[in-house]
Amino acid sequence: MTNAERAALRGSADSVLARLVGDITGTAQLREDQWLAIEALVADKRRALVVQRTGWGKSAVYFVATSLLRERGAGPTVIVSPLLALMRNQVEAAARAGIKARTINSSNTEDWETIQDEVIGGEVDVLLVSPERLNNPDFRDQVLPRLAAATGLLVVDEAHCISDWGHDFRPDYRRLRTMLAELPAGVPVLATTATANARVTADVAEQLGTGAGTDALVLRGPLDRESLSLHVLRLSDAAHRLAWLADHLTELPGSGIIYTLTVAAAEEVTAYLRQCGHTVSSYTGRTENAERQQAEDDLLANRVKALVATSALGMGFDKPDLGFVVHLGSPSSPIAYYQQVGRAGRGVEHAEVLLLPGREDEAIWQYFASVAFPPEEMVRRTLDVLAQAGRPLSLPALEPLVELRRTRLETMLKVLDVDGAVRRVKGGWTSTGTPWVYDAERYAWVARQRAAEQQSMRDYATTTECRMEFLRLQLDDEQATPCGRCDNCAGARFDDKVSATALDTARGELGRPGVDVEPRKMWPTGLAAVGVDLKGRIATGEQSFGGRALGRLSDIGWGNRLRPMLGPGAPDGPVPDDVMEAVVSVLADWAKRPGGWASGAPDAPDRPAGVVTVASMGRPALVGSLGARISEIGRMPLLGSVAYVPEADGTRVSRTNSAQRVRALHETLTVPPALAEALASAGGPVLLVDDLSDTGWTLAVATRLLRRAGAVGVFPLVLAVQT
């Protein structure tokens, strides 16, 4: 292409940008690096990796390039995008530039066939797909080859997800290797991310085929966000953090996001802030798609002051005038933290960013670290089971045969799929027979990297140096300099004072004990494969009533009190007095609730006629004292314990997945004769007491045994539930 042709192309590109951003004057111009990327893609048909800060305009690069390529007869652009929020924003942005974009994701399955026909018919300029779709058997085998043959531009958005050195590794993203290999020669490829250090950048470039030895363009810019003012406030406890939010939320500019580390915390914070009169909504992985869309729309339209969100609201949510981001609890990675705070200040001159770390943060980090890639023996066991099956095995069919929970099993299979050891087909997963090597050194390095990132977040919270410079250095930004805006550079603009009213309200909210424990109603699939003759719906006569717990281990109220008691390695001992007082409060409230024995409803069950404990191998003193004190205070006889058979003494009951856990409990739990005799003479329901319910299966199996032994009904009561 001649210089004159390139100059004309630049003019056309600026015109498309003007339509994209709604500039009716037509004076909008691309940044120089934006133009370099577009020139590489359109004029030179090269591959490019763009690492630029949030708000820099990466989406403008691929939409402008798409428009120019389509004008020149190229096929549709395929954008691999990780989140529904990102897809919705991009479809709307494309329309502004006259680009027809469609999306294939889990929320519009009924439209997939129509959309695919539109793509094949040339009616669609941009197709956005989720990375998970790339390895759906029908899509991979039937749609993907045609897309690869027709694609005019492949875009990998949030490309750091490709790298298991990064903070948000997603195995499905690595399926892109297949699509890249099948692209015709000369099809340009663009990868973009805002959150990649040098190691992740190199890894992504290598995996996309844009590394050393190829004619690729890598554009990496400075990561400073001039609009962001970073602060850290260290408050004494969760109640003070909530009270601070209640007192100061209206002082924060515009509308924003309050991030929490867990779903339980998001729900707690939302309830408290609403009680204090603030207009906020919750946004988590449990939020239904329609409610998520409404919450996003409300924030975009400033109908709410804030969304209280987990990381489910992360990459891709685009609100240029977002005025603040507050973290109630510290993420475990500075890269993840930078990515989330980058939601703010994209289209305004000033935005506030505050971190309010909590003492529960480390326990939550440890939990997420516990679900890392499984040890080699578990992987080998899975490969052996698949090899011996002789047919595809679905996740529900495979789960009972291996010692892994379903989500961890699925992630492992996706990694093995990328490595070529297994393949996803209709009906499930099969072994390919390809030799596979467990890369222990790599997995150990990743674990060490995670630990280093956690230490970096501890250092960020305590540093006296520039906070923006600290984050930029964590992302290997060689241009990092002091920002002059953060609390360490310019002085703190927020103090730690809270009002007595807000603090009292927060303590009342966090100190209010009691959460529901939903009874299990269906047996896990595949029990027959492990020798247990149970399936389908749990018989009504073998189910418990709805139960209660003092709190969740993942919340910031009672969770902070219960985690030291119930966490791994916690010492055993009698139930503390303050915990016992709260249990009594839960029981009193429970009795009066709808469905409670003192509710006065015509169909209310009888009052518990006795207390039964679940024998504990790890905390016998705690569970025993809890049952005894409930018996004494409630004036109900202590009938005995659901026990373990003698041969189970000292063995650990599997907690890996539902089927394995039910099998183990089915084989080891029993109702001793003395307890069976006591149940027969009790004359009413029993209160079933345990310390922790993480899956609900101990309570379900124990309830079945009690009901079959003659219990009229069972009310489960535990100190804590896991989530």
Side-chain angles (χ1 to χ4, degrees):
M1 186 176 285
T2 67
N3 289 339
E5 289 172 329
R6 289 178 187 270
L9 184 67
R10 172 67 188 263
S12 298
D14 285 337
S15 297
V16 176
L17 176 69
R19 295 199 302 270
L20 185 67
V21 300
D23 176 21
I24 59 175
T25 66
T27 58
Q29 288 190 323
L30 292 159
R31 303 172 191 268
E32 190 57 31
D33 276 0
Q34 287 176 316
W35 163 243
L36 289 175
I38 292 167
E39 183 182 34
L41 297 169
V42 179
D44 303 323
K45 305 297 175 61
R46 294 170 65 186
R47 294 183 174 183
L49 172 58
V50 174
V51 183
Q52 298 282 359
R53 65 182 183 271
T54 302
W56 175 85
K58 295 181 288 295
S59 61
V61 171
Y62 50 75
F63 282 136
V64 172
T66 292
S67 181
L68 297 176
L69 287 166
R70 292 289 279 168
E71 288 175 2
R72 287 156 177 76
T77 292
V78 175
I79 301 176
V80 182
S81 180
L83 292 181
L84 295 181
L86 185 62
M87 291 184 180
R88 286 192 285 265
N89 290 157
Q90 289 175 327
V91 169
E92 294 167 2
R96 292 196 295 270
I99 297 170
K100 183 176 181 180
R102 300 297 301 269
T103 175
I104 292 179
N105 59 65
S106 59
S107 69
N108 68 342
T109 53
E110 68 281 359
D111 297 329
W112 287 358
E113 188 172 342
T114 300
I115 294 170
Q116 290 168 15
D117 290 341
E118 291 176 352
V119 172
I120 293 168
E123 302 171 39
V124 174
D125 300 311
V126 172
L127 177 67
L128 295 105
V129 299
S130 65
E132 291 76 17
R133 192 60 32 210
L134 298 176
N135 204 30
N136 172 276
D138 284 338
F139 190 89
R140 181 195 64 212
D141 297 335
Q142 298 179 28
V143 180
L144 195 56
R146 287 182 290 178
L147 271 182
T151 295
L153 170 66
L154 175 63
V155 177
V156 184
D157 213 355
E158 307 296 349
H160 61 272
C161 296
I162 292 173
S163 177
D164 56 4
W165 311 98
H167 74 275
D168 198 17
F169 169 55
R170 300 189 182 190
D172 287 301
Y173 254 73
R174 295 178 70 183
R175 277 286 117 206
L176 289 163
R177 288 177 175 177
T178 302
M179 189 168 184
L180 284 165
E182 295 174 354
L183 285 176
V187 174
V189 177
L190 172 67
T192 69
T193 180
T195 50
N197 57 20
R199 181 69 176 91
V200 172
T201 299
D203 192 31
V204 171
E206 178 185 353
Q207 293 196 46
L208 290 175
T210 59
T214 64
D215 183 23
L217 175 68
V218 177
L219 294 171
R220 182 179 173 91
L223 299 179
D224 188 24
R225 294 289 309 281
E226 295 88 349
S227 62
L228 298 186
S229 178
L230 304 178
H231 309 264
V232 175
L233 277 176
R234 302 187 69 86
L235 299 166
S236 58
D237 56 28
H240 278 81
R241 285 183 288 147
L242 283 189
W244 191 94
L245 277 176
D247 283 342
H248 297 277
L249 189 57
T250 56
E251 300 170 12
L252 298 176
S255 55
I257 301 170
I258 301 168
Y259 278 110
T260 66
L261 299 186
T262 67
V263 172
E267 293 172 350
E268 281 181 304
V269 174
T270 301
Y272 167 74
L273 290 177
R274 284 177 173 173
Q275 183 181 348
C276 294
H278 295 290
T279 306
V280 297
S281 295
S282 179
Y283 190 110
T284 74
R286 292 181 189 168
T287 307
E288 295 293 335
N289 279 336
E291 294 177 3
R292 284 193 187 195
Q293 177 70 71
Q294 185 62 56
E296 291 172 19
D297 291 344
D298 287 343
L299 184 59
L300 289 169
N302 296 316
R303 289 189 290 266
V304 294
K305 180 65 176 178
L307 293 188
V308 184
T310 62
S311 58
L313 182 68
M315 294 176 295
F317 181 77
D318 185 13
K319 178 177 168 60
D321 63 340
L322 197 77
F324 64 89
V325 169
V326 177
H327 277 79
L328 196 72
S330 175
S332 61
S333 160
I335 302 175
Y337 182 63
Y338 181 85
Q339 187 267 325
Q340 290 179 346
V341 302
R343 303 267 64 81
R346 299 173 65 172
V348 293
E349 292 185 0
H350 178 77
E352 299 288 1
V353 172
L354 294 99
L355 172 63
L356 280 60
R359 62 176 179 170
E360 70 275 5
D361 298 350
E362 304 254 349
I364 295 168
W365 296 350
Q366 291 173 10
Y367 170 76
F368 286 119
S370 71
V371 295
F373 196 74
E376 183 172 5
E377 60 270 19
M378 291 186 179
V379 184
R380 297 291 179 196
R381 167 64 179 164
T382 305
L383 290 172
D384 289 344
V385 169
L386 287 173
Q388 295 165 13
R391 60 182 177 84
L393 291 179
S394 65
L395 281 173
L398 182 59
E399 183 183 18
L401 305 175
V402 297
E403 290 282 319
L404 290 169
R405 289 189 179 180
R406 188 170 302 183
T407 52
R408 197 176 181 198
L409 172 62
E410 183 176 21
T411 299
M412 182 191 76
L413 287 169
K414 289 176 179 179
V415 173
L416 294 175
D417 187 2
V418 171
D419 291 343
V422 303
R423 181 172 173 81
R424 187 182 175 193
V425 298
K426 283 188 175 180
W429 297 84
T430 61
S431 170
T432 65
T434 301
W436 179 80
V437 176
Y438 188 88
D439 195 345
E441 182 178 349
R442 185 178 181 89
Y443 299 136
W445 194 98
V446 171
R448 292 194 299 271
Q449 181 74 1
R450 296 289 185 265
E453 290 175 348
Q454 291 174 9
Q455 184 57 49
S456 293
M457 285 309 298
R458 297 184 192 100
D459 295 342
Y460 174 79
T462 58
T463 185
T464 58
E465 304 298 322
C466 173
R467 297 194 193 278
M468 179 59 79
E469 183 181 25
F470 182 98
L471 291 177
R472 292 175 66 185
L473 289 173
Q474 289 295 312
L475 275 82
D476 297 321
D477 183 353
E478 296 178 355
Q479 302 178 50
T481 56
C483 70
R485 303 179 304 273
C486 70
D487 53 358
N488 287 339
C489 287
R493 290 205 301 278
F494 300 98
D495 59 40
D496 59 1
K497 294 183 174 59
V498 298
S499 67
T501 299
L503 185 59
D504 288 344
T505 305
R507 285 172 173 161
E509 183 68 25
L510 295 177
R512 184 179 297 112
V515 296
D516 290 331
V517 178
E518 292 295 326
R520 288 284 190 174
K521 295 183 179 179
M522 299 288 294
W523 293 114
T525 55
L527 285 175
V530 292
V532 179
D533 187 23
L534 295 172
K535 63 180 179 179
R537 187 174 182 84
I538 300 175
T540 303
E542 296 180 357
Q543 290 184 27
S544 70
F545 297 118
R548 295 285 280 168
L550 186 53
R552 300 183 183 92
L553 290 187
S554 58
D555 66 30
I556 57 176
W558 274 99
N560 281 336
R561 177 68 180 92
L562 294 169
R563 274 190 297 272
M565 292 172 51
L566 303 177
D572 187 27
V575 60
D577 290 341
D578 64 321
V579 173
M580 192 63 225
E581 290 174 7
V583 169
V584 172
S585 175
V586 169
L587 286 168
D589 174 70
W590 189 6
K592 300 172 184 177
R593 290 162 57 93
W597 52 88
S599 62
D603 58 348
D606 293 336
R607 181 182 187 275
V611 177
V612 176
T613 59
V614 178
S616 174
M617 294 181 181
R619 289 180 282 269
L622 178 64
V623 176
S625 66
L626 178 61
R629 293 188 66 176
I630 290 174
S631 168
E632 177 185 1
I633 294 170
R635 298 180 181 178
M636 297 176 285
L638 185 60
L639 303 178
S641 294
V642 177
Y644 289 98
V645 296
E647 51 267 34
D649 184 39
T651 61
R652 179 178 173 81
V653 175
S654 170
R655 294 177 182 268
T656 55
N657 63 48
S658 292
Q660 291 284 349
R661 184 156 178 78
V662 169
R663 178 195 60 77
L665 292 165
H666 182 73
E667 294 174 353
T668 57
L669 283 183
T670 185
V671 173
L675 175 56
E677 185 177 341
L679 291 171
S681 59
V686 297
L687 199 65
L688 179 62
V689 176
D690 202 358
D691 54 352
L692 174 66
S693 177
D694 58 352
T695 65
W697 288 120
T698 298
L699 296 176
V701 173
T703 293
R704 178 176 182 268
L705 292 172
L706 291 170
R707 295 298 301 271
R708 290 169 72 90
V712 175
V714 175
F715 291 100
L717 173 70
V718 295
L719 291 178
V721 289
Q722 184 72 53
T723 59

